[in-house]
Amino acid sequence: MSIRYLREILTGSRNIVCLQGRASWSKQGNDFYRKDFIYDTEMKYGLSPDEIFSTTFYHNRPAKFFEFYREEMLKKRGEPGPVNYILKEMEDDGRLSAIVTRGYFNASKRAGCKNVIQLHGDIDRNTCPRCGKVFSAEYILEHKPIPKCDVCETMIHPGVVLSGEMLDSAVMTRAAEAISCADVLLVIGCNLSSRLGSMARYFNGDKIALVNVEEHYTDRKADCVCIGDSIENILREAYPAKKEQN
Ligand SMILES: [Zn+2]
């Protein structure tokens, strides 16, 4: 682990793209892959989160579907954490050009980050499949049991990609382009063989820096690897707050 090297990489670039993986955002909002959440959902709804948050369930049992969306996702979206604010500082300093994530709870956006590419969508961009009007999470929370478009009365589609649906190809293209133009790829909270981490294949730049909570055999593909219990502590040490830098 070389925090000094990580600091050199992060403070030496003006075009970093961050792949922000699950281990760095799982405290913000319910994570479908977290064992206790899977267990609790099965106890409460009789199905796994993946089975409920699917196209089939959305069409066949919309009231139950939206109950799950409201209670387990929208109401439990969590607050932005230290990692999100460090990324915001890096963006403000003109170092970070984009964040790519599979998270959809908008934690980095709510921390103030501007260029966040959310591959799986956004809980605040629920859309009417017929007329395209966009509705906030608040609108979904307020319109029970089945939220409908206030223009054309069509059942709203969640802003998050459902299991069984394709990811938006325009968003994927934007992410791939951002990665391919970056000088530094900062991968946090996932390994390089995960679905997000494997997007490093688009990277043509200089250095890949990886910060994660556990080691993985693909870590050797990175130029700089920092593994530790706390992603936030590693990032904070490598990228000190302004007053400490001066
Ligand atoms: Zn509509």
Side-chain angles (χ1 to χ4, degrees), residues 12-137:
S13 172
R14 297 219 151 261
N15 186 7
I16 302 169
V17 167
C18 175
L19 300 185
Q20 194 187 0
R22 173 165 293 113
S24 73
W25 60 265
S26 63
K27 283 177 197 149
Q28 281 106 38
N30 267 328
D31 179 352
F32 277 22
Y33 295 82
R34 221 177 51 213
K35 286 199 179 78
D36 60 337
F37 181 56
I38 296 174
Y39 179 81
D40 291 348
T41 306
E42 280 174 354
M43 292 306 285
K44 197 167 162 186
Y45 297 86
L47 292 166
S48 74
D50 256 349
E51 286 167 324
I52 299 174
F53 208 65
S54 67
T55 39
T56 320
F57 203 78
Y58 164 73
H59 289 291
N60 295 341
R61 299 196 53 198
K64 202 74 189 161
F65 174 91
F66 278 104
E67 182 192 326
F68 174 84
Y69 187 42
R70 273 186 208 99
E71 298 302 318
E72 316 302 333
M73 295 174 69
L74 301 184
K75 285 188 185 172
K76 294 178 184 166
R77 70 182 92 167
E79 292 304 319
V83 170
N84 307 110
Y85 289 105
I86 296 171
L87 294 175
K88 156 89 163 89
E89 284 170 40
M90 290 172 63
E91 194 183 74
D92 288 347
D93 294 345
R95 303 203 177 278
L96 184 73
S97 340
I99 298 170
V100 177
T101 181
R102 282 159 55 88
Y104 35 74
F105 290 106
N106 302 338
S108 289
K109 281 191 198 171
R110 284 185 283 139
C113 294
K114 288 179 193 74
N115 195 14
V116 187
I117 304 170
Q118 297 185 174
L119 303 172
H120 284 250
D122 180 331
I123 52 162
D124 269 310
R125 294 194 59 81
N126 307 286
T127 355
C128 169
R130 183 179 293 168
C131 75
K133 185 169 176 185
V134 175
F135 298 89
S136 67

Side-chain angles (χ1 to χ4, degrees), residues 127-133 135 148-156:
T127 355
C128 169
R130 183 179 293 168
C131 75
K133 185 169 176 185
F135 298 89
K148 292 187 178 150
C149 174
D150 58 3
V151 179
C152 70
E153 283 293 304
T154 306
M155 177 165 79
I156 293 171

